[in-house]
Amino acid sequence: MAKLNESQLKEQIKSGNYSNAYLVYGEESYLKEYYIAQLKKKIVDPAFEAFNLHQFEGKDTSLDDILKDAQMLPMMSEYNFVLVHDYPVEKSKSDLKLLTEFLEDVPESTIIIFHYDAISPDTKSAGFKKIISAFDNAGAVVNLEKRSENDVAKLLVSGAKKRGSALDTNNAKYLISVSGNDLKILLNELDKLSYFAQGQEITKSIIDNMATKCLQARVYDLSKAVVAGDTDTAYSIIDVLFGMKEDPILILAVIGGVYVDMYRVKCAKTAGFSYDDVAKHYNYKGREFALRNASRDCAGLSENQLRQSLDEIMNTDLKLKSTATDKKLLLEELIVKLILIAKEVYYA
C-alpha cells in the first residue's frame, strides 16, 4: 500500500480500513506502543482473544512458528491478529526470504505487525531495506519519529487541560528541557504536576520543584556553571550524578554533546546564521531546546575555547575507557580544565 505518516495511520484506525501487514519502527516508543494498542483494541474482540491474538517476542521464537499462526483463520472474528516484537529478521537470509514470500500473499483475514522498539534496526542496511519494500508492497510501513518541540508542547498543553490543570506553551517547552523529550516520561510528569497543581496553573516554579530532571538537563546546569566559573555548583552537580549512579562514560558523552551543540551554534553565528539554521542541518527534532541552551551558554566563549574544551573532553574520554584512574576524579579534573578554558587561564 504505502508508507504512512502518523496522521494517515490514525485515520486508518478511525475508519477501520486496515492494512494486512504493518512494519512499525522509529524513535518514539510511546507513539509506537500507543498506535499498536489502538489497533489491537479496535481489531481484537476480548471475548475471543485467546484464539485470535498471537504475540511473539523476537528472541524467544522462530519465524516458522510466527508464520504458522499468521496462516490461521480467525474464530468468531473478522481478523487473526499477529504481533511480533523485535524480531531480527534482517540478520538471517533464510528468514528474510521466508518473510518476503509470506508478505507477497498475506491472508485477507490476517493482520500481522512487526514492531521494533527494544532493538533499533539498521534502516540503511540492505536487509532492512528489503523488509521495508516487502511491507510497503503488502501493507504499510510506519516510521514514528520524534515530534518537534512545538508539537510536543501542544500535546502537553492539551494534556494539562484534560487533567483539569493549565499549562502555557512556554512552560510546556520548559518542562521538555527539564525532563527530556521522551513522550512517555513527559506524560508521567504531567500526571504528577497536574495532581500537584490541583486544578490550578502548572507554573515554572512547580516544574522546578516537582519535575524529575533528566541527565541531559542536569548536564546543561553543569555546563552553565562551568561557563560561569562556578566551581562549587559544578562539583555539586557531579556529586548528584554519581549519587544517582549515572554511568561516568554516559555523563561525559552528554557533556561532549552539550559542547558540540555550543560549537555548532558558535560557528553558525560567526557565519551569520541562527541556531534555527543549525536545527535544519542536524537532527534536533524534539530537542530544539538544546540549541537555545547552547546559544545562551556559548555567548562568552570563542570558537578556539570551544575547540580546546572538546579536545579536553576527548582526552578524558580516552582516560575513562583506558585507565584505572578514579572516574569521578577524572570528571572533576575535566571540570576544572573547562572552567580554566572558559576564564582564558593558561594551565600546563
Side-chain angles (χ1 to χ4, degrees):
M1 285 180 67
K3 293 182 175 67
L4 301 183
N5 59 33
E6 185 181 344
S7 297
Q8 291 168 327
L9 176 60
K10 190 184 298 184
E11 181 58 33
Q12 265 201 7
I13 295 170
K14 182 180 178 181
S15 67
N17 184 26
Y18 310 115
S19 299
N20 288 106
Y22 290 90
L23 175 64
V24 182
Y25 65 102
E27 294 181 311
E28 189 49 75
S29 294
Y30 172 81
L31 293 178
K32 288 182 287 186
E33 291 176 11
Y34 174 79
Y35 285 113
I36 287 171
Q38 290 298 303
L39 282 165
K40 178 182 171 184
K41 182 179 178 181
K42 289 287 292 288
I43 294 167
V44 180
D45 184 343
F48 299 97
E49 184 175 298
F51 302 100
N52 299 323
L53 174 62
H54 310 272
Q55 298 188 85
F56 299 93
E57 295 296 331
K59 62 182 179 180
D60 297 326
T61 190
S62 71
L63 186 61
D64 280 331
D65 291 336
I66 293 169
L67 298 185
K68 282 177 185 177
D69 279 7
Q71 297 280 6
M72 293 174 63
L73 292 172
M75 180 174 289
M76 304 296 289
S77 180
E78 187 176 357
Y79 293 109
N80 177 37
F81 192 85
V82 182
L83 179 57
V84 187
H85 298 284
D86 296 313
Y87 193 92
V89 67
E90 79 275 16
K91 304 297 182 184
S92 165
K93 289 184 178 179
S94 60
D95 278 356
L96 182 58
K97 183 174 183 292
L98 191 61
L99 179 60
T100 301
E101 290 174 351
F102 172 80
L103 290 172
E104 289 174 356
D105 189 22
V106 183
E108 290 185 6
S109 59
T110 290
I111 290 179
I112 185 169
I113 301 174
F114 270 64
H115 164 225
Y116 289 90
D117 191 43
I119 63 173
S120 298
D122 181 1
T123 57
K124 295 181 180 179
S125 70
F128 200 74
K129 285 180 178 178
K130 288 181 181 178
I131 294 170
I132 289 175
S133 178
F135 273 93
D136 194 17
N137 291 328
V141 176
V142 187
N143 179 10
L144 291 169
E145 299 178 319
K146 291 288 185 184
R147 289 181 173 180
S148 70
E149 184 184 46
N150 285 334
D151 287 341
V152 175
K154 288 177 184 176
L155 179 67
L156 293 174
V157 171
S158 173
K161 186 176 181 180
K162 291 176 183 176
R163 290 163 175 79
S165 298
L167 179 68
D168 70 28
T169 302
N170 288 334
N171 282 334
K173 289 183 177 181
Y174 180 65
L175 176 59
I176 297 167
S177 73
V178 168
S179 297
N181 65 342
D182 183 285
L183 276 178
K184 186 182 293 185
I185 291 173
L186 282 170
L187 292 173
N188 286 337
E189 289 296 315
L190 188 61
D191 286 338
K192 177 176 68 178
L193 296 171
S194 297
Y195 178 81
F196 182 83
Q198 291 292 299
Q200 302 301 310
E201 183 179 1
I202 299 171
T203 62
K204 184 175 182 293
S205 176
I206 290 176
I207 294 171
D208 284 334
N209 290 323
M210 297 297 298
T212 302
K213 280 193 172 185
C214 65
L215 172 61
Q216 194 168 32
R218 294 184 187 278
V219 173
Y220 285 140
D221 290 342
L222 175 63
S223 67
K224 189 175 178 181
V226 167
V227 171
D230 187 348
T231 308
D232 290 342
T233 298
Y235 280 170
S236 175
I237 294 170
I238 290 291
D239 287 341
V240 169
L241 293 174
F242 271 81
M244 294 170 65
K245 301 190 182 302
E246 294 283 4
D247 181 355
I249 292 176
L250 183 57
I251 294 172
L252 183 62
V254 178
I255 292 173
V258 170
Y259 270 82
V260 167
D261 293 342
M262 288 196 286
Y263 186 67
R264 285 173 174 168
V265 169
K266 178 61 70 173
C267 290
K269 284 187 174 181
T270 302
F273 297 100
S274 68
Y275 63 74
D276 288 330
D277 295 304
V278 177
K280 293 175 184 176
H281 289 86
Y282 297 94
N283 184 21
Y284 284 91
K285 190 173 184 179
R287 48 184 295 270
E288 291 87 345
F289 62 86
L291 295 177
R292 288 199 299 274
N293 290 340
S295 183
R296 173 200 69 201
D297 293 342
C298 76
L301 298 173
S302 66
E303 288 181 30
N304 185 54
Q305 286 172 298
L306 289 168
R307 281 194 290 268
Q308 289 180 52
S309 298
L310 286 167
D311 285 343
E312 291 296 348
I313 291 168
M314 289 176 62
N315 291 336
T316 302
D317 181 65
L318 180 61
K319 291 176 184 176
L320 277 176
K321 295 173 180 176
S322 62
T323 70
T325 308
D326 180 85
K327 291 178 170 52
K328 185 180 179 185
L329 182 61
L330 287 173
L331 286 177
E332 289 176 339
E333 181 181 290
L334 172 64
I335 295 306
V336 171
K337 290 179 178 178
L338 294 178
I339 287 174
L340 290 175
I341 291 171
K343 290 183 173 181
E344 296 186 277
V345 175
Y346 174 79
Y347 62 91

